Amino acid sequence: VNEEMAMMIAPEDSEGWAKSMTQIMEDEPMCSRMIQNGFQHVQQFTWDRVKHQWFDVYDKVTALCLAAQ
């Protein structure tokens, strides 16, 4: 994740938060680009896709546990 879809600011950096929020509000093209890029990024996290990844991890862990017995 970078400034193409989000801004990384330390939680305790209030000045950084203010600066970043001001930048997003004042730069409409950047704001629109970040929204679009973020939306495209989250599309990869649908349940149909993620559940298969979880099943793969579960299968690998199960195989490792069985092999260790």
Side-chain angles (χ1 to χ4, degrees), residues 26-67:
E26 291 178 349
D27 189 341
E28 190 173 327
M30 182 181 95
C31 181
S32 295
R33 184 180 67 249
M34 289 174 74
I35 290 169
Q36 183 63 35
N37 290 342
F39 182 75
Q40 288 175 353
H41 181 70
V42 300
Q43 298 307 304
Q44 68 182 313
F45 302 109
T46 64
W47 174 244
D48 283 337
R49 187 170 184 181
V50 171
K51 72 180 175 185
H52 294 293
Q53 293 171 336
W54 274 107
F55 291 147
D56 289 344
V57 168
Y58 181 78
D59 289 342
K60 289 175 184 173
V61 169
T62 302
L64 287 171
C65 289
L66 292 174

Side-chain angles (χ1 to χ4, degrees), residues 6-37:
M7 301 194 99
M8 303 295 287
I9 305 117
E12 68 280 355
D13 184 3
S14 57
E15 188 174 312
W17 277 95
K19 181 180 176 184
S20 295
M21 295 307 295
T22 300
Q23 182 181 2
I24 290 169
M25 290 186 294
E26 291 178 349
D27 189 341
E28 190 173 327
M30 182 181 95
C31 181
S32 295
R33 184 180 67 249
M34 289 174 74
I35 290 169
Q36 183 63 35
N37 290 342

